[in-house]
Amino acid sequence: MDPGTHQEDTMADLTPEQMRRLHDFAEQLSELAEHQEDRWKVQTTHGQIFLTMMSPTAPHRLNVVRLRRQIEAQTPEVVALNDTNMGDPVTGLTKIPDLMVIAEEDTDDTAKVVNSRDVLMVVEVVSRTNSLTDIRDKLHDYPRMGLPLYVVVDPRKDKKTVTVHSDPSEGPDGIRYRKKVPHAFGDTVTAGRWTLDTSSLKAYPADW
């Protein structure tokens, strides 16, 4: 059986009430995680809750910061938030992206989570230890959460790519990004209204 088919079936088996309970439980875990000494990400996908300890490396953090600065410099009317809770009221899915871009006028400083339907773009920097989360799971979930643009930065030594996913739309396989444009580190990348200079991005060390 195709893995994507199994994932869709898992989600389809959940009733709205079960999705609500899953969301509520994930929210309780998030509140608990805030009081721990270590930092944790609590995210949902395919009817499951994933709990991940946050231990980003220096190259990972630098890539996020450098992209955030470019985005905000080009569009002062937006804010680029990193490691912030994002939820979808339609699917019940919750994520904590490396970087999410939202119009400042759409931000709500009283909300526990950012509504994914208000987000203009998400950027994920692939982890060297958990790459499938960004390349498979979030690529599956983000279009269903109403995110128009998903940029995947892959600093692994055998990759060093920046891929722009766009045009989320319905098809026989569900809601998927229908356009995919890959780039190499060093290219000038167009993602929606933004032009990203990737020459300053850092690859992971060769011995990792």
Side-chain angles (χ1 to χ4, degrees), residues 95-153:
K95 305 289 182 186
I96 305 179
D98 287 328
L99 200 62
M100 73 170 91
V101 182
I102 185 171
E104 189 158 11
E105 66 180 10
D106 290 332
T107 58
D108 181 357
D109 57 10
T110 65
K112 289 184 178 180
V113 299
V114 173
N115 187 330
S116 66
R117 304 281 162 169
D118 293 331
V119 175
L120 305 172
M121 177 172 67
V122 163
V123 179
E124 297 282 8
V125 178
V126 174
S127 165
R128 66 187 181 93
T129 58
N130 192 25
S131 59
L132 283 181
T133 299
D134 299 322
I135 295 172
R136 183 192 64 193
D137 296 339
K138 291 180 179 177
L139 184 59
H140 174 269
D141 290 342
Y142 279 161
R144 298 175 61 243
M145 296 174 71
L147 295 160
L149 280 171
Y150 177 31
V151 178
V152 181
V153 178

Side-chain angles (χ1 to χ4, degrees), residues 32-41 52-55:
L32 179 63
E34 290 178 0
H35 298 91
Q36 304 305 305
E37 181 178 351
D38 297 313
R39 298 183 64 202
W40 296 84
K41 276 189 177 183
T52 310
M53 183 181 289
M54 296 172 63
S55 54

Side-chain angles (χ1 to χ4, degrees), residues 37-95:
E37 181 178 351
D38 297 313
R39 298 183 64 202
W40 296 84
K41 276 189 177 183
V42 180
Q43 306 180 95
T44 60
T45 185
H46 313 320
Q48 303 172 59
I49 296 175
F50 284 87
L51 188 64
T52 310
M53 183 181 289
M54 296 172 63
S55 54
T57 60
H60 185 284
R61 287 187 180 277
L62 283 170
N63 286 333
V64 172
V65 167
R66 287 167 178 166
L67 290 169
R68 185 182 68 209
R69 287 173 176 168
Q70 291 189 54
I71 291 166
E72 292 185 334
Q74 292 176 39
T75 47
E77 72 276 10
V78 310
V79 289
L81 305 173
N82 62 293
D83 295 333
T84 301
N85 291 326
M86 178 180 71
D88 179 23
V90 177
T91 62
L93 292 165
T94 57
K95 305 289 182 186

